[in-house]
Amino acid sequence: MNEKILELLEAKKYSEIGALLKDMNPADAAVMLEELPEQKMPIVFRLLSKELAADTFAYMDGDAQEILVRGFSDKELDEVMEQLFLDDTVDMLEEMPANVVKRVLRHVDADTRKMINQVLNYPKDSAGSIMTMEYVDLKRSMTVEQAFERIRATGVEKETIYTCYVTDSRRKLEGIVTVKDLLLSPKSEVIRNIMETNVKFVSTHTDQELVARELSKYDFLAIPVVDAEERLVGIVTVDDALDVIQEEATEDIEKMAAITPTDRPYMKTSVFETWKKRIPWLLFLMISATFTSGIISSFEDALAASVILTSFIPMLMDTGGNAGSQSSTTVIRGLSLGEIRYGDVLKIVTKESFVSLMCGATLAVANFAKLMLIDRVSLLVAAVVCLTLVVVVLVSNIVGCTLPVLAKRVGFDPAVMASPLITTIVDAVALIIYFNIAKLLLGI
């Protein structure tokens, strides 16, 4: 597609490009534009129809939007801003430099500017920061016919019209009614008789991850957002929730890999920025790992007396780290989904203890057979290694399952207590267990 468009641009066949783009999906058009050379992007964007251009602009990433905004004439900027929904406008402004933001705000009306500033003032990652104020509101005294008249009159400017929100004169949320309910009711039926009054809602300061979880739990297309006095101030739609889920999942994955989270895509992150994201944790983990060498040094005499013990250190450390990572990953996932709470810590430890004993015993039996048949070590050395294996897996699982829960309890992101940190802790613990069991059984 892009090659074809570039060929037509070279030939200055703009009408053919317009015809080619006319029926394109906005999301696909956004991807296509982002892959074009920067100098060609504004030219092709201007060939989109007015409505398609605004929808496409909303799907583009911040860098591409900034390129277009800088190249827009005042008239073009007016047209795009007029078509954008409020939440898309806020998302765009959050990623742009101050001078570009000022220019954009000059091209929106006073009411829209006020709403934008209101949303921008909500805490980052809160329901207020991702909501839109463009929803259909009805009154309980309206008839179905009057409700449809209001939807027709205002619905074009709203992000969704399927779910309508019933409010009183103070904008306090009283209920919801869907277009399906309205279609299946007589024209003369009053809204208060068909609306749902048991409404699920979130507050403006509710964490965005919890909002996304509520939408998923109840299969909502949108969820209302209220202020401290339960006045309706906006809604969060399912498409915004999907974006939140993707952002939070990406953030958790990066934290679990000991990388400082970022909002920028990998291919658009410079080498220097990537280095800055990774080096703090690498330095911390490297320094932490020096404790491991210190432990080995303190047991030099024991190792000198039974050199064969040295060859099993990597296996014991790796197995402990792997077991701890499995446990921590499971618990972190449960915490992020709301399946696990701090009060469940005793149940978690009990369950993981049984699981780790079963896993440790299985690994010990398999390892014992290898030690005796292949490595041909003495029975006592095999006993030291296998017993250590059971204890290390048990301790690793307990460390792996408790640290994320404790981190959540004190306000840290549980994802921080993931594989790299767990592995570093377990390595040191595994060595201490190993050498102490060796001293006890081998008398060294």
Side-chain angles (χ1 to χ4, degrees), residues 209 244-262 266 277-278 281 285 325 328-329 332-333 336 413-421:
E209 193 171 3
V244 168
I245 291 169
Q246 179 178 316
E247 289 171 12
E248 295 290 345
T250 302
E251 183 179 306
D252 286 347
I253 290 169
E254 289 180 325
K255 285 182 177 178
M256 291 172 72
I259 298 174
T260 305
T262 179
Y266 174 78
K277 284 169 52 183
R278 298 183 184 181
W281 272 104
L285 293 172
S325 296
S328 65
T329 302
I332 289 168
R333 182 62 177 160
S336 67
D413 191 324
V416 174
M417 302 296 177
S419 182
L421 187 57

Side-chain angles (χ1 to χ4, degrees), residues 50-194:
K50 184 178 178 180
E51 186 175 342
L52 178 59
D55 291 340
T56 300
F57 186 83
Y59 279 105
M60 298 176 76
D61 66 36
D63 291 339
Q65 287 178 335
E66 185 179 342
I67 291 169
L68 290 176
V69 169
R70 290 184 184 277
F72 282 162
S73 66
D74 287 347
K75 182 181 177 183
E76 288 171 329
L77 188 54
D78 280 337
E79 290 176 351
V80 171
M81 297 309 300
E82 186 180 330
Q83 295 293 321
L84 278 183
F85 289 117
L86 182 69
D87 57 337
D88 293 326
T89 304
V90 172
D91 289 342
M92 175 190 73
L93 294 178
E94 285 180 328
E95 299 183 23
M96 289 196 174
N99 61 325
V100 178
V101 171
K102 288 178 181 177
R103 185 184 174 214
V104 170
L105 290 177
R106 284 200 303 269
H107 290 267
V108 297
D109 59 71
D111 289 339
T112 303
R113 192 180 306 118
K114 182 180 177 182
M115 288 190 291
I116 289 171
N117 288 327
Q118 184 178 338
V119 173
L120 288 173
N121 284 330
Y122 285 115
K124 181 176 168 53
D125 297 336
S126 66
S129 70
I130 61 170
M131 72 181 182
T132 178
M133 298 178 180
E134 292 153 332
Y135 56 87
V136 176
D137 62 313
L138 305 173
K139 302 303 176 188
R140 61 186 295 147
S141 58
M142 285 181 174
T143 63
V144 168
E145 187 173 13
Q146 290 172 329
F148 274 123
E149 287 175 1
R150 178 162 178 77
I151 292 171
R152 292 189 191 100
T154 63
V156 176
E157 302 171 354
K158 309 304 180 184
E159 184 151 345
T160 178
I161 62 170
Y162 180 74
T163 304
C164 304
Y165 301 89
V166 184
T167 60
D168 63 14
S169 57
R170 295 176 55 253
R171 288 191 295 111
K172 187 170 182 179
L173 183 62
E174 293 186 318
I176 61 170
V177 62
T178 66
V179 171
K180 178 183 177 181
D181 297 328
L182 296 173
L183 284 170
L184 297 177
S185 301
K187 291 182 180 181
S188 59
E189 186 65 85
V190 181
I191 296 296
R192 64 171 169 268
N193 295 332
I194 59 174

Side-chain angles (χ1 to χ4, degrees), residues 352-362 390-391 393-394 397:
E352 287 296 328
S353 296
F354 282 114
V355 171
S356 59
L357 286 172
M358 293 169 66
C359 290
T362 305
V390 174
V391 178
V393 171
L394 173 62
N397 273 23

